[in-house]
Amino acid sequence: MADYVVVLRDGTSDGTVATQAERHDAELAHAGIRVVAVAPGTTDTGIHAAAGDPDRPRRVAARVPLGRVASPEEIARVVMFALSPEASYLTATTITAGGGL
């Protein structure tokens, strides 16, 4: 398999993301295209401040089992893994990078 598709979640429920990954995989697997969804938890970016809630990452961190939110680089590493040869047998699945949530 040489082609890859990674779908990033943007506020969609995990169940919806998993369903979409499975549906797209059923459509694309025969062409050698894997579908791996990455469901990131709260990530420390400027999006919260831009939305008027700059303290949200700090508040959310208290509920995350790891005690912090993700960095953009941590989410990028999950995506890079999904695209790598090491993940060549993953398809129709969702990788949750939520710090334990």
Side-chain angles (χ1 to χ4, degrees):
M1 294 189 175
D3 298 313
Y4 307 93
V5 175
V6 177
V7 180
L8 292 174
R9 182 183 93 170
D10 59 352
T12 309
S13 74
D14 289 344
T16 300
V17 171
T19 300
Q20 289 176 349
E22 291 169 6
R23 180 175 54 99
H24 290 304
D25 181 71
E27 297 169 359
L28 301 170
H30 71 279
I33 300 172
R34 297 183 304 113
V35 179
V36 178
V38 175
T42 300
T43 305
D44 191 11
T45 67
I47 195 168
H48 305 291
D53 194 2
D55 293 329
R56 186 172 191 280
R58 181 187 53 76
R59 288 193 318 273
V60 170
R63 295 191 313 259
V64 177
L66 287 180
R68 61 183 181 80
V69 298
S71 71
E73 293 79 13
E74 289 173 309
I75 302 305
R77 285 192 292 269
V78 174
V79 172
M80 293 305 296
F81 168 73
L83 293 167
S84 75
E86 287 80 11
S88 65
Y89 201 62
L90 287 180
T91 193
T93 194
T94 301
I95 301 172
T96 301
L101 293 178

